[in-house]
Structures are given as structure tokens and as C-alpha cells.
Amino acid sequence: MTRLELERKLRKAGWTFTQGSCHELAVSPDGKKKVTIPRHKGDIPKGTALAILKEAGLS
């Protein structure tokens, strides 16, 4: 899964994003949860992508 695909899923769920130097910070719609997304070339490893989605409460 690419970073952009992961961001689309989170944006569709209402998450907003702020940019850091090497990572994006996703903030939940209610502002209580924060998830970091690596901004690297290529695909995000499957386990990492699944962990980010799980932490965000998505499947």
C-alpha cells in the first residue's frame, strides 16, 4: 500500500493531516487520536500499513 492510498482512506474517514519533516501526522476528527505516517519512497510495508489502520480504528 502506498502512502497516498493510506492517506485517502484516512481522509475519507474524516482525518486531517499536518506535515512533518519525514512523516505526516494524521489527526482524528475528534482530535483525540494522532497517527504518524512515514513519508518515504515506495510502498509502506504491509505490517506497518495494517498497524496504522488498526491504530486509527479502520480496517
Side-chain angles (χ1 to χ4, degrees), residues 23-44:
H23 294 79
E24 300 281 337
L25 182 64
V27 181
S28 66
D30 62 2
K32 293 184 179 181
K33 286 187 179 180
K34 294 180 181 169
V35 178
T36 56
I37 301 171
R39 192 179 336 132
H40 304 262
K41 291 183 180 180
D43 287 344
I44 296 175

Side-chain angles (χ1 to χ4, degrees), residues 1 3 5-6 8 10 12 14 17-21 24-26 28 33 35-36 38-39 44 47-48 50 52 54:
M1 176 179 293
R3 176 182 57 89
E5 291 171 337
L6 188 57
R8 277 190 216 117
L10 290 170
K12 194 172 184 180
F17 291 84
T18 58
Q19 293 185 5
S21 60
E24 300 281 337
L25 182 64
S28 66
K33 286 187 179 180
V35 178
T36 56
R39 192 179 336 132
I44 296 175
T48 304
L50 291 175
I52 290 169
K54 183 179 178 182

